[in-house]
Amino acid sequence: MGLRVGHATRVGDGWLTGTTVVLAPEGGAVAAVDVRGGGPATRETDALDPRNAVERIEAVVLSGGSAYGLDTAAGVMGWLEERGRGTRVGPGAADVVPVVPAACVFDLGRGGDFRARPDAAMGRAAVGAAAASEPGAPVAQGCVGAGTGAVVGLLKGGLGTASTVLDSGITVAALVVANAAGSVLHPGTGALYGELILGGGRTASPPAEAHEAARQRLAEAAARNAPPPRNTTLAMVATDAVLTRAQAQKLAGVGHDGIARAVRPVHLLNDGDTVFALATAARPLPATDRLALNEVLAAGADTVTRAIVRAVRAARPVDAPGGTWPAYSELYGEP
Amino acid sequence: MGLRVGHATRVGDGWLTGTTVVLAPEGGAVAAVDVRGGGPATRETDALDPRNAVERIEAVVLSGGSAYGLDTAAGVMGWLEERGRGTRVGPGAADVVPVVPAACVFDLGRGGDFRARPDAAMGRAAVGAAAASEPGAPVAQGCVGAGTGAVVGLLKGGLGTASTVLDSGITVAALVVANAAGSVLHPGTGALYGELILGGGRTASPPAEAHEAARQRLAEAAARNAPPPRNTTLAMVATDAVLTRAQAQKLAGVGHDGIARAVRPVHLLNDGDTVFALATAARPLPATDRLALNEVLAAGADTVTRAIVRAVRAARPVDAPGGTWPAYSELYGEP
């Protein structure tokens, strides 16, 4: 699709956070957003309303740092301005305003220092890493970038990706930062909700002994950690389909279904759940099917669910000054 | 909670449809709505925007008949006007305009006659049945009222209810009309998605032989039926909690998570998925907990999921001029 992903990650000395930038090909991508959480931290989301002026955007930022982390977008704006990328607003080719939508997860204090949070320099580092990568290159997952300080229920959360190619040849991909007040685990079995829904069915539940041991470990961790005051799951659904901005907004909305199938409960007052949609507009929707968008919508929700499963499975345990978070793979093993 | 539910049902001679009315106690309930489907059929939903004037409403209508079925609300308005119930707009006690929000599912032609659809008289019959019932009386489920003509994927859909009482003493209940383009069944096992998420875990999957036989029956039915051009899942989440209209709207929004966990995919262009929330405002949220609403939100989503499971399990097979729809209980047995 031509999208590039870059991470900036900082761990230790009070830090446990990071920033992830999704960089569109030059000229930008159609973008939209749907905010469903009760405690969002976002920037430039109103500009994405299909009724408003901006047609395409060059980059989206996902970051740790709660509302403070929105400063990362300034670094990405600076990087884009230097390259003359953004909405042209003056006579000179360099007279641009890059609209850089951003959303942040709450991870303050998890590394030990409440003030150790992503800033403009970290945003600049992440967009630089994105620009240095190949389009379509594998994206590092787990405790990296905006997923570095993520926590899901009592488990370590993280960043995950997934993608699928539809029969029409259209690609739908998702990148998520799983950091939720709710749980990704069926309480009775330890199965991941997302795998119960998407998986083979009978095989999704771990052995009962593993679940019993995991419950004890999680109860111990819960006794040591303060309950997180805020959370947030962020997702980006991207496709190479030709979508209008309104269609992209519908895709962002249905992306929340993918979060709901992987995290329960979700969209609470202390979640800031936000889904962006990006369309690089390379492949028209099949013209013969009035409902062709449905396939993209359904795949968007499913890739978000799958990316949350990947994020949780890729996370590694963290024992930091701000808390102790076991990882799913450590407790339940690999699939 | 003081809410009463009444059904009007008509089957045979080309009919397979009906109407359900939820009637608030006199003086009304706080109400809100969240529309997430791509093909909604609704009436008086803009009046429920928390910024707009109407504080309380007396009744909500769920109906078959697609957009034509919105006429049922006229019958409910007439019934309420005769009793002086509604927003007072003149000097006389009887000078009222009852705001009656309504949403409809697509079931046109399923009974054989495209024009056999609910009208004002059927709305009046349903509100009359509601008024004649006891508050809190058991509600008939399955192929009844607005669920009469409902179809979920290849299965017969229907109407279902569920409720729970939180530790705080607050009750949260849901009533749904399950009529979706997507499926409620895990394709690999025949388990209901909603039971995989909410149920005991390991026991939710039917025996493999039952699933194999069911797949054949469903494939036969699919070969006979035209794919439904439109669908829609409707839900009403009700609570006796004291909620502001904005809080009620949040509850309606999170109710869609409960649909997403039971139906996959959902919120498509040919779904008109709409969730209403009603708060009878008898019990204040616990004042000691800043996030007390979260418990109501989480329970709202879960009761919607459970009500969809109940709707599907309560449905009975239908072989009508407009199609043949096996029922889950017929294919897979009772739990």
Side-chain angles (χ1 to χ4, degrees):
Chain A
M1 286 188 276
L3 299 174
R4 298 161 200 257
V5 177
H7 300 306
T9 303
R10 195 152 168 203
V11 176
D13 289 332
W15 293 77
L16 185 68
T17 189
T19 300
T20 297
V21 170
V22 179
L23 183 64
E26 206 150 338
V30 170
V33 67
D34 189 309
V35 180
R36 304 280 294 167
T42 59
R43 173 172 163 155
E44 289 281 53
T45 45
D46 287 320
L48 298 186
D49 186 310
R51 294 168 293 194
N52 293 340
V54 172
E55 294 289 340
R56 291 186 171 227
I57 57 104
E58 300 285 323
V60 175
V61 182
L62 310 179
S63 184
S66 188
Y68 298 111
L70 296 171
D71 291 354
T72 53
V76 179
M77 285 184 73
W79 188 94
L80 290 166
E81 184 189 15
E82 290 161 16
R83 286 156 183 81
R85 294 177 63 172
T87 303
R88 179 88 169 264
V89 294
D95 300 346
V96 297
V97 176
V99 171
V100 179
C104 297
V105 301
F106 183 97
D107 58 5
L108 296 177
R110 290 185 186 158
D113 181 354
F114 187 85
R115 287 176 181 76
R117 50 212 181 201
D119 57 6
M122 202 175 272
R124 181 175 278 269
V127 71
S133 73
E134 290 298 315
V139 174
Q141 299 182 62
C143 304
V144 64
T148 305
V151 170
V152 181
L154 299 169
L155 288 172
K156 187 69 187 72
L159 183 143
T161 67
S163 73
T164 189
V165 180
L166 305 177
D167 291 344
S168 59
I170 288 170
T171 295
V172 180
L175 182 151
V176 307
V177 182
N179 184 59
S183 175
V184 290
L185 283 185
H186 189 292
T189 64
L192 292 170
Y193 287 126
E195 292 188 349
L196 285 173
I197 297 288
L198 297 183
R202 285 167 213 288
T203 59
S205 297
E209 317 80 67
H211 184 49
E212 195 42 53
R215 282 160 61 110
Q216 289 190 17
R217 283 285 309 282
L218 291 170
E220 290 162 22
R224 278 202 301 278
N225 296 351
R230 300 252 177 226
N231 295 273
T232 282
T233 298
L234 303 177
M236 152 82 67
V237 183
T239 179
D240 56 0
V242 177
L243 300 187
T244 64
R245 295 167 63 204
Q247 288 174 320
Q249 197 181 31
K250 180 74 185 159
L251 178 58
V254 174
H256 281 285
D257 292 342
I259 300 179
R261 294 188 185 115
V263 182
R264 167 175 171 259
V266 76
H267 300 132
L268 303 180
L269 294 184
N270 46 337
D271 288 306
D273 310 309
T274 298
V275 179
F276 293 100
L278 277 189
T280 58
R283 291 176 180 268
L285 293 174
T288 49
D289 180 2
R290 186 176 58 83
L291 297 176
L293 182 63
N294 274 353
E295 255 205 292
V296 177
L297 299 175
D302 282 355
T303 54
V304 166
T305 301
R306 202 177 304 276
I308 292 174
V309 166
R310 292 256 186 91
V312 171
R313 284 204 173 273
R316 293 295 166 252
V318 166
D319 194 352
T324 300
W325 298 282
Y328 188 81
S329 56
E330 169 203 22
L331 297 179
Y332 292 96
E334 305 295 336
Chain B
M1 285 188 275
L3 298 174
R4 298 161 199 258
V5 177
H7 299 306
T9 303
R10 194 154 169 202
V11 176
D13 288 333
W15 292 78
L16 185 70
T17 189
T19 300
T20 297
V21 170
V22 178
L23 182 64
E26 206 150 337
V30 170
V33 67
D34 189 311
V35 179
R36 304 279 296 167
T42 61
R43 174 172 164 155
E44 289 281 53
T45 46
D46 287 319
L48 298 186
D49 186 310
R51 295 167 293 193
N52 292 340
V54 172
E55 294 289 341
R56 291 184 170 229
I57 57 103
E58 301 285 322
V60 175
V61 182
L62 309 179
S63 184
S66 188
Y68 298 111
L70 296 171
D71 291 354
T72 52
V76 179
M77 285 184 75
W79 188 94
L80 290 166
E81 184 189 15
E82 290 161 18
R83 286 155 183 80
R85 294 178 61 171
T87 302
R88 180 89 169 265
V89 294
D95 299 346
V96 296
V97 177
V99 171
V100 179
C104 298
V105 301
F106 183 96
D107 58 6
L108 296 177
R110 290 185 186 158
D113 181 354
F114 188 85
R115 286 177 182 76
R117 50 210 180 201
D119 57 7
M122 201 175 271
R124 183 175 276 272
V127 71
S133 73
E134 290 299 316
V139 174
Q141 299 182 62
C143 304
V144 65
T148 305
V151 170
V152 181
L154 298 169
L155 289 171
K156 187 69 186 73
L159 183 142
T161 67
S163 74
T164 189
V165 180
L166 305 178
D167 290 345
S168 59
I170 289 170
T171 296
V172 180
L175 182 152
V176 306
V177 182
N179 184 58
S183 175
V184 290
L185 284 185
H186 188 292
T189 64
L192 291 170
Y193 287 126
E195 292 187 349
L196 285 173
I197 296 287
L198 297 182
R202 287 168 212 287
T203 58
S205 297
E209 317 80 66
H211 184 49
E212 194 42 52
R215 282 160 62 110
Q216 288 190 18
R217 282 286 308 282
L218 290 170
E220 289 162 23
R224 278 202 302 278
N225 296 351
R230 300 252 178 227
N231 296 273
T232 281
T233 298
L234 303 177
M236 152 82 67
V237 182
T239 178
D240 56 2
V242 176
L243 299 186
T244 64
R245 294 166 66 204
Q247 288 174 320
Q249 196 182 33
K250 180 72 185 162
L251 177 58
V254 174
H256 281 285
D257 291 342
I259 301 179
R261 294 188 185 113
V263 182
R264 167 173 170 258
V266 75
H267 300 132
L268 303 180
L269 295 184
N270 46 337
D271 289 306
D273 310 308
T274 298
V275 179
F276 293 101
L278 277 189
T280 59
R283 292 176 179 268
L285 293 174
T288 49
D289 181 1
R290 189 176 55 84
L291 298 176
L293 182 63
N294 275 353
E295 255 204 292
V296 177
L297 299 176
D302 282 356
T303 53
V304 167
T305 301
R306 204 178 303 276
I308 293 173
V309 166
R310 293 257 186 91
V312 171
R313 284 203 172 275
R316 293 295 165 252
V318 167
D319 193 352
T324 299
W325 299 281
Y328 188 81
S329 55
E330 169 203 24
L331 297 179
Y332 291 96
E334 305 296 336

